[in-house]
Amino acid sequence: MSDQLLFAMEVTLNGLMAGVMYALVALGFVLIFKASGIFNFAQGVMALFAALTLVGFQTGQVPFAHLINAVFGTRIHHFGWSVPTLAAIVATMAVMVLMALLVERLVLKHFVNQAPIILFMATIGLAYFLEGLGDVMWGADIKRLDVGLPQGISETIDGTTFGWFGYGFFIDRLDIVAALVAAALVVSLTLFSQYTRQGRALRAVADDHQAALSVGISLRAIWVLVWSIAGFVALVAGMMWGTKLGVQFSLSLIALKALPVLMLGGFTSIPGAIVGGLIVGVGEKLFEFAVGPMIGGATENWFAYMLALVFLLFRPQGLFGERIIERV
Amino acid sequence: MLYREAGDFKTTYAADGQTFPIAFDRWRYYGVLAVAFGVVPFLINDYWANAVFVPFLIYAIAAIGLNILTGYCGQVSLGTGGFMAVGAYACYKLMTAFPEVSILVHIVLAGGITAGVGLLFGIPSLRIKGFYLAVATLAAQFFLVWLFNKVPWFYNYSASGQISAPERTFLGVAVTGAATPAWAKYLVCLVFVVALAWVARNLTRGALGRQWMAIRDMDIAAEIIGVNPLRAKLAAFAISSFYVGIAGALLFAVYLGAVEVGEAFGINKAFLVLFMIIIGGLGSIFGSFAGAAFLVLLPVLLKNVLVGGLGWSTSLAAHIELMIVGALIVLFLIVEPHGLAQLWRLAKEKLRLWPFPH
């Protein structure tokens, strides 16, 4: 086999893995969109916020340390203890649930019956607020996140492919873990929405708000639930991305890339989020590999958006989305 | 007492249909213009020009542009930063290629070029709607910024990858470059703002503006009553981009002098201008000014209070500013979805009826 083909195969595999990471963020978007019709722009920032909080708890940082220091002239930074990873994850999850409650109380409640585009802009505001809050709470420096996930080249795949082709593929072990986690997430979310009481209520709300209300489902409770689940998905995505790149502001930009993923897959489909993620991941890696060097590289910045734009011209509802029917 | 139409008799249709039908309103606007042209240039210094007036005027142009597209025509765009970059780079290329032509011509031409690019990215809007379109405009944002970063021709192969405005004069006074006096910067921007705001106000009052609003309220219904969505939407994209491009050209040539594309025209710029029109008021020219003033003044105010007054660090103040802006967006959307412009309208309505509210 020629070298170029082997490289292309390696790039494709890595693209698939990167695509899984995008899909992780996109999942959170789809969940909220299905249950409340809200296009939650803040999902990416939620992942960043969750990762920041996780690191903060883990290393025993004092929340709002900078603010407290600035106001009272003290010099506190750390409690001086470190929390075991699992406990920190549970605590972070608690924070995300609290956030879901507050978002419902303070924001969503007031937007019932508003146009979707108004809600969309409100979530942009929410994204800004959370971004500022994360920085004020935990400081804006780049942090290392270590939750014990494996990292570095996978020796097994390297060895196996070397045996097959005489060329070892480089695959990050973290990416493999991410793929497994994403699969587990999708399966458990599907089970949850198909076989539990809450899950059924959730699907009812997604189907029709008013009908769900009329059979006694509390819309507000469901919203809190959905935002909590989205918070959980954000936490998982934040853990993966944070381990990969360090916890920093650019995480929320990566999360923006979940948007073209969604547009490809359709806003309402969980499998769509996964497939869209894979297409975007493979597409941008192959494009960068094949065309990138000719036109200056770093095409990953925009390729996903352009792909989605061109794709939408031909199929506005995405691959798996429900057909858009408009009535006057 | 002064603010009412009673006793102000109109004898022609033109008088009845004018922008400011109330005499007091009309005179007040003339007064504002007179102060802006006749008083401020003599008092302005570098700090006030650079911190407040020039950015306010430039962002007001960008906000009017985005308001035409989003507020009047209902097409949410997150590509403003990219289009501003087109304006800036077009202006730069023109300035360096044709040094003998007046800078003011270049700025207008830069707007025209941006209009062409905007037209191109507006074509998908015929099939894609709502937030699908908002995300599609992100493609413009990221692609354009990447393009200006990667193709050396755009920055004339300069080693730093930056573009910096050479000195150009108008009537013997420098308007770009390091030697520009504060009042010249201010006046150039002011002339553009007044001219463009006047055009925008009248466009949105006319047939085209009504078509845009029909499209915004429901595009299928608008099509049925005879609005051509192709023409209306593309016109909105082109005109909006023209405004945004001029704002970008002014931001680069007159205000900043030297820019690096990712830093000056990144995605944050797109959000900033979007926030201006949300806070100021969607579908209102006055709202564009109010929103621009608000979001230009807020950081200055916070910086003076938190950093200057309380002695906090600048980064902390910047983060708190993010929180405040985010919270304000949500608050405005909850309390007054039509923004500052609606508050202004309500205040005027109260004033007209005062002191007998019924």
Side-chain angles (χ1 to χ4, degrees):
Chain A
M1 236 183 274
S2 74
D3 279 354
Q4 282 298 316
L5 190 65
L6 282 174
F7 287 149
M9 278 170 68
E10 185 184 14
V11 168
T12 310
L13 264 177
N14 272 310
L16 282 175
M17 297 298 170
V20 170
M21 299 284 262
Y22 294 140
L24 269 179
V25 184
L27 266 181
F29 280 98
V30 173
L31 278 173
I32 292 188
F33 188 82
K34 275 186 76 126
S36 50
I38 298 170
F39 186 77
N40 179 24
F41 193 83
Q43 185 68 28
V45 183
M46 273 164 68
L48 171 67
F49 183 76
L52 275 174
T53 312
L54 182 57
V55 177
F57 280 140
Q58 237 186 341
T59 55
Q61 269 186 302
V62 181
F64 300 107
H66 291 277
L67 191 62
I68 296 170
N69 289 350
V71 176
F72 300 109
T74 50
R75 284 184 179 281
I76 48 171
H77 288 291
H78 288 85
F79 288 120
W81 67 62
S82 63
V83 177
T85 304
L86 202 62
I89 291 178
V90 171
T92 310
M93 197 51 227
V95 172
M96 296 313 277
V97 172
L98 182 71
M99 198 193 76
L101 264 172
L102 286 178
V103 166
E104 200 280 327
R105 271 291 146 73
L106 300 176
V107 183
L108 294 180
K109 197 177 81 177
H110 304 283
F111 285 107
V112 178
N113 268 339
Q114 287 275 20
I117 205 79
I118 299 280
L119 275 159
F120 171 61
M121 292 199 260
T123 60
I124 298 183
L126 187 66
Y128 262 63
F129 180 78
L130 273 181
E131 201 184 311
L133 182 68
D135 288 344
V136 172
M137 261 176 101
W138 307 108
D141 45 327
I142 300 176
K143 298 177 183 61
R144 239 174 54 82
L145 174 64
D146 185 9
V147 287
L149 292 171
Q151 265 184 296
I153 181 168
S154 162
E155 306 287 346
T156 336
I157 290 185
D158 189 41
T160 321
T161 50
F162 189 81
W164 289 351
F165 310 117
Y167 170 77
F169 286 3
F170 179 92
I171 307 275
D172 197 326
R173 277 187 294 174
L174 179 67
D175 287 342
I176 300 172
V177 174
L180 294 178
V181 168
L185 256 183
V186 171
V187 170
S188 51
L189 283 176
T190 314
L191 288 179
F192 173 77
S193 69
Q194 295 294 331
Y195 295 109
T196 62
R197 222 177 127 74
Q198 270 77 24
R200 204 153 58 232
L202 208 142
R203 280 187 292 141
V205 170
D207 215 36
D208 189 331
H209 284 186
Q210 285 189 339
L213 272 174
S214 68
V215 294
I217 295 167
S218 161
L219 203 55
R220 297 181 55 184
I222 289 295
W223 278 358
V224 173
L225 179 71
V226 169
W227 279 73
S228 306
I229 296 175
F232 174 67
V233 176
L235 173 61
V236 173
M239 260 156 54
M240 298 295 164
W241 280 108
T243 312
K244 192 172 170 129
L245 300 172
V247 181
Q248 52 178 323
F249 169 70
S250 66
L251 277 192
S252 61
L253 283 185
I254 289 161
L256 272 185
K257 227 178 242 173
L259 302 179
V261 168
L262 282 173
M263 305 203 336
L264 279 173
F267 282 118
T268 46
S269 160
I270 289 179
I274 303 286
V275 175
L278 295 180
I279 293 176
V280 165
V282 173
E284 71 176 18
K285 286 281 190 299
L286 275 180
F287 188 78
E288 175 72 24
F289 172 71
V291 187
M294 279 179 269
I295 53 172
T299 53
E300 279 138 334
N301 283 344
W302 55 267
F303 179 76
Y305 301 96
M306 278 297 187
L307 184 70
L309 180 63
V310 173
F311 184 83
L312 278 190
L313 279 180
F314 297 101
R315 206 178 150 79
Q317 72 269 37
L319 271 178
F320 296 94
E322 291 152 17
R323 209 178 150 66
I324 303 166
I325 301 168
E326 286 184 278
R327 292 193 178 86
V328 178
Chain B
M1 284 306 199
L2 295 165
Y3 193 84
R4 58 196 47 194
E5 56 269 78
D8 186 5
F9 299 111
K10 310 285 195 311
T11 48
T12 58
Y13 276 120
D16 198 35
Q18 61 191 326
T19 304
F20 302 113
I22 296 173
F24 177 74
D25 239 358
R26 210 154 52 234
W27 290 110
R28 190 171 45 79
Y29 269 81
Y30 292 145
V32 168
L33 279 182
V35 171
F37 276 103
V39 180
V40 177
F42 294 102
L43 301 176
I44 201 165
N45 60 21
D46 269 337
Y47 174 78
W48 279 93
N50 285 331
V52 178
F53 282 103
V54 174
F56 159 64
L57 294 173
I58 291 172
Y59 283 121
I61 298 178
I64 292 174
L66 187 62
N67 222 335
I68 286 175
L69 187 61
T70 304
Y72 285 99
C73 197
Q75 316 292 311
V76 178
S77 164
L78 297 176
T80 317
F83 293 129
M84 284 174 92
V86 174
Y89 277 75
C91 184
Y92 175 68
K93 289 302 288 184
L94 288 168
M95 276 167 89
T96 47
F98 309 103
E100 65 283 353
V101 180
S102 164
I103 172 74
L104 300 186
V105 176
H106 286 324
I107 291 176
V108 174
L109 282 180
I113 291 172
T114 316
V117 177
L119 205 62
L120 204 65
F121 279 98
I123 293 171
S125 74
L126 301 172
R127 289 220 6 122
I128 312 173
K129 288 167 189 170
F131 29 62
Y132 283 85
L133 180 68
V135 178
T137 54
L138 277 177
Q141 170 71 42
F142 287 105
F143 178 72
L144 291 169
V145 167
W146 173 86
L147 190 71
F148 295 129
N149 227 338
K150 288 292 173 190
V151 182
W153 181 78
F154 286 115
Y155 48 85
N156 282 357
Y157 306 94
S158 77
S160 60
Q162 281 195 339
I163 53 172
S164 51
E167 182 169 313
R168 293 286 180 268
T169 56
F170 182 71
L171 300 178
V173 181
V175 286
T176 64
T180 315
W183 61 266
K185 285 185 184 183
Y186 168 79
L187 271 185
V188 169
C189 295
L190 186 66
V191 168
F192 274 104
V193 167
V194 170
L196 289 173
W198 182 75
V199 171
R201 172 73 196 169
N202 285 302
L203 265 182
T204 50
R205 261 154 41 97
L208 196 55
R210 280 153 200 253
Q211 289 182 7
W212 287 338
M213 286 186 260
I215 294 268
R216 170 190 69 191
D217 292 342
M218 178 162 252
D219 52 354
I220 296 176
E223 207 175 334
I224 289 170
I225 59 168
V227 175
N228 182 346
L230 176 86
R231 275 187 44 200
K233 280 185 182 176
L234 288 186
F237 263 96
I239 294 170
S240 153
S241 305
F242 179 77
Y243 278 67
V244 171
I246 286 187
L250 286 173
L251 189 75
F252 152 68
V254 177
Y255 178 47
L256 293 174
V259 296
E260 198 278 315
V261 61
E263 195 185 315
F265 301 114
I267 179 86
N268 281 335
K269 220 38 37 118
F271 285 132
L272 179 68
V273 181
L274 183 66
F275 288 169
M276 281 173 184
I277 64 169
I278 294 176
I279 289 185
L282 291 166
S284 157
I285 302 295
F286 170 78
S288 312
F289 282 99
F294 191 84
L295 282 187
V296 166
L297 286 177
L298 182 70
V300 177
L301 186 74
L302 280 179
K303 200 168 168 223
N304 277 332
V305 172
L306 296 181
V307 181
L310 297 172
W312 294 6
S313 71
T314 5
S315 65
L316 186 61
H319 299 149
I320 289 179
E321 185 198 322
L322 273 182
M323 285 176 70
I324 292 179
V325 170
L328 274 175
I329 297 290
V330 176
L331 192 72
F332 263 100
L333 285 172
I334 291 173
V335 180
E336 191 47 88
H338 299 289
L340 293 169
Q342 181 66 14
L343 295 179
W344 175 243
R345 247 172 253 143
L346 289 176
K348 284 203 293 194
E349 200 59 27
K350 287 242 158 58
L351 213 58
R352 270 177 61 203
L353 299 174
W354 185 84
F356 307 110
H358 298 294

